[in-house]
């Protein structure tokens, strides 16, 4: 059997979070079993997408659900659905969208690296607001005959420049425009699975390979049946823009199982584990002279997600002899490989994907590096 060791691939301790570049999350045995069983039989993919969507919608008590090849694929399909609908002639033109309703309004403070998925599908962004403030009248004024929808990036809701989702929905719906919400990493809490749909969002996107712990290549789309049907019309297995975003039967069954497990999971126990791990690391590292450490929660986007406690470590370069980026790189060298992230001012330790006991290994790695210096 081919293993990571055989390939020479280093295994890591993931203290960064559910980032795709660090392989997302770890699947439960029940999910792997469901995928293995699914691999033993042929099925019609179109029927499987329909029936799995109905099953998930029933579990969550929402109008409709659709499994996608990741949340970014959901962004592309949402864009295609708003531009081409279920018109096969228009669908075959995408991503060429000149002459069609192809503009999507987005707050400047909500622009992010995943915008490329919208552009890939033929969407064009119309920005409103600035880095300090955004007003409802700006959204009203941006609407024209080419407007196809409004995008909202949940992580950016923490910016002071952001209008609330409630306000965005109110104005967009007054103009009969759909609101597409990117909530890819907004779990936990599990209540978020239905929160944004219940607020009136027309399409809400989640990653299947983050806190849901389904296959890394999966995503979940929730929302209005009419719109999700249009997303399906533009997606796999149809010959349309989403055809390259292939979903196998194993992924569909794996994510469906992961969602069912997630809804029955003790979320309080998971949060207690993260708190215990961060408390332990804080106590063991707080007296290091070169560190100024805080326990807290993020106040910036792309933090995977903001509901989980973590350590924020300021590094005194003069005392330590190297900066936080160099410390991050040293942690990632040699086994055990520890992966952390940095922001503008801090080295960050996120317990989201830590296994029990790995917090002790992390502390030892820190102390070994500092002792070596």
């Amino acid at each position: 059997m081919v293993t990571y060791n055989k390939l020479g691939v280093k295994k890591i301790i993931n203290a960064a979070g559910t980032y795709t570049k660090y392989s997302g999350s770890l699947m439960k045995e029940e999910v792997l079993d469901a995928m293995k069983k699914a691999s033993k039989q042929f099925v019609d993919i179109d029927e499987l997408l329909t029936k799995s969507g109905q099953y998930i919608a029933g579990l969550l008590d929402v109008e409709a659900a659709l499994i996608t090849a990741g949340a970014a694929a959901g962004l592309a399909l949402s864009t295609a659905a708003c531009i081409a609908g279920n018109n096969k002639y228009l669908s075959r033109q995408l991503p060429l969208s000149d002459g069609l309703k192809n503009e999507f309004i987005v707050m400047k403070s909500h622009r992010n690296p995943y915008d490329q998925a919208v552009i890939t599908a033929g969407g064009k962004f119309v920005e409103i607001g600035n880095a300090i403030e955004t007003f409802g009248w700006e959204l009203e004024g941006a609407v024209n005959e080419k407007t196809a929808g409004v995008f909202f990036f949940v992580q950016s809701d923490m910016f002071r420049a952001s209008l609330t989702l409630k306000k965005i929905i109110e104005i967009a719906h007054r103009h009969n425009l759909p609101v597409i919400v990117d909530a890819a990493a907004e779990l936990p809490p599990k209540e978020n699975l239905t929160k944004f749909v219940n607020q009136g969002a027309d399409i809400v996107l989640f990653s299947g390979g983050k806190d849901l712990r389904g296959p890394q290549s999966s995503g979940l789309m929730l929302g209005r049946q009419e719109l999700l049907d249009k997303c399906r019309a533009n997606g796999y297995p149809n010959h349309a823009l989403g055809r390259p975003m292939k979903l196998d039967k194993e992924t569909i069954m794996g994510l469906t199982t992961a969602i069912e497990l997630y809804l029955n999971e003790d979320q309080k126990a998971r949060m207690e584990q993260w708190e215990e791990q961060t408390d332990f690391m804080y106590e063991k590292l707080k007296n290091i002279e070169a560190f100024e450490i805080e326990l807290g929660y993020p106040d910036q986007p792309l933090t995977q997600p903001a509901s989980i406690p973590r350590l924020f470590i300021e590094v005194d370069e003069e005392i330590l002899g190297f900066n936080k980026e160099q410390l991050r790189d040293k942690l990632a060298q040699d086994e055990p490989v520890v992966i952390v992230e940095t922001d503008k001012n801090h080295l960050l330790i996120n317990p989201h994907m830590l296994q029990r006991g790995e917090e002790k290994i992390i502390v030892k790695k820190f102390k070994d590096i500092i002792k070596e210096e």
Side-chain angles (χ1 to χ4, degrees), residues 117-270:
V118 176
I119 298 167
T120 297
K124 298 182 184 299
F125 283 112
V126 174
E127 292 185 353
I128 59 172
N130 55 51
I132 300 174
E133 57 192 2
T134 309
F135 297 100
W137 54 261
E138 292 179 282
L139 176 53
E140 298 267 11
V143 176
N144 62 63
E145 67 280 358
K146 295 201 70 178
T147 307
V150 182
F151 276 102
F152 188 95
F153 187 54
V154 172
Q155 290 185 45
S156 292
D157 188 32
M158 60 181 67
F159 281 144
R160 62 175 289 188
S162 175
L163 291 173
T164 64
L165 178 57
K166 180 180 179 181
K167 187 67 174 178
I168 291 287
I169 291 171
E170 173 197 330
I171 297 173
H173 284 183
R174 194 185 313 139
H175 293 275
N176 297 314
L177 292 172
V179 176
I180 298 97
V181 173
D182 182 348
E186 295 307 310
L187 297 171
K190 66 180 176 182
E191 289 76 20
N192 278 2
L193 275 170
T194 54
K195 173 183 175 181
F196 308 113
V197 170
N198 290 338
Q199 286 180 352
D202 300 279
I203 296 177
V204 182
L205 306 169
F206 294 96
S207 170
K210 295 188 186 297
D211 199 55
L212 288 173
R213 282 155 291 154
Q216 170 64 4
S217 57
S218 67
L220 177 64
M221 179 182 288
L222 305 173
R224 289 199 292 118
Q225 185 71 62
E226 178 191 2
L227 265 177
L228 266 60
D229 285 344
K230 291 177 180 179
C231 290
R232 281 197 57 207
N234 286 275
Y236 174 79
N238 301 304
H239 288 283
L241 181 118
R243 184 62 178 79
M245 304 166 195
K246 182 175 286 188
L247 276 164
D248 53 67
K249 57 189 183 297
E250 294 83 7
T251 294
I252 297 169
M253 293 302 290
L255 181 58
T256 303
T257 302
I259 293 168
E260 187 175 62
L261 292 169
Y262 191 75
L263 293 176
N264 293 308
E265 192 170 30
D266 186 345
Q267 296 289 330
K268 182 180 178 182
R270 295 182 72 213

Side-chain angles (χ1 to χ4, degrees), residues 26-159:
L26 301 179
M27 292 183 281
K28 292 185 175 182
E29 288 297 325
E30 296 94 326
V31 175
L32 294 170
D33 288 343
M35 296 175 74
K36 183 177 180 180
K37 289 178 182 177
S39 72
K40 305 295 185 182
Q41 186 69 50
F42 292 103
V43 294
D44 182 282
I45 293 294
D46 216 27
E47 180 184 13
L48 182 57
L49 282 170
T50 299
K51 296 293 177 62
S52 61
Q54 291 171 349
Y55 184 72
I56 293 167
L59 288 176
L60 298 176
D61 193 24
V62 297
E63 185 175 332
L66 176 65
I67 292 177
T68 65
L75 282 172
L77 293 179
S78 299
T79 303
C82 292
I83 296 175
N86 51 19
N87 185 315
K88 291 183 179 179
Y89 178 76
L90 296 181
S91 292
R92 289 290 181 94
Q93 292 185 43
L94 297 181
L96 304 178
S97 62
D98 289 349
L100 304 177
K101 282 179 115 177
N102 63 357
E103 291 184 359
F104 292 86
I105 300 172
V106 64
M107 286 179 276
K108 186 182 289 287
S109 60
H110 283 232
R111 295 301 300 268
N112 66 83
Y114 304 100
D115 289 349
Q116 192 70 39
V118 176
I119 298 167
T120 297
K124 298 182 184 299
F125 283 112
V126 174
E127 292 185 353
I128 59 172
N130 55 51
I132 300 174
E133 57 192 2
T134 309
F135 297 100
W137 54 261
E138 292 179 282
L139 176 53
E140 298 267 11
V143 176
N144 62 63
E145 67 280 358
K146 295 201 70 178
T147 307
V150 182
F151 276 102
F152 188 95
F153 187 54
V154 172
Q155 290 185 45
S156 292
D157 188 32
M158 60 181 67
F159 281 144

Side-chain angles (χ1 to χ4, degrees), residues 13-14 26 273 277 351-359:
I13 293 175
N14 183 357
L26 301 179
Q273 177 182 324
Q277 289 174 311
H352 194 181
M353 287 294 112
L354 290 184
Q355 306 303 295
R356 283 197 178 276
E358 289 185 336
E359 67 277 9

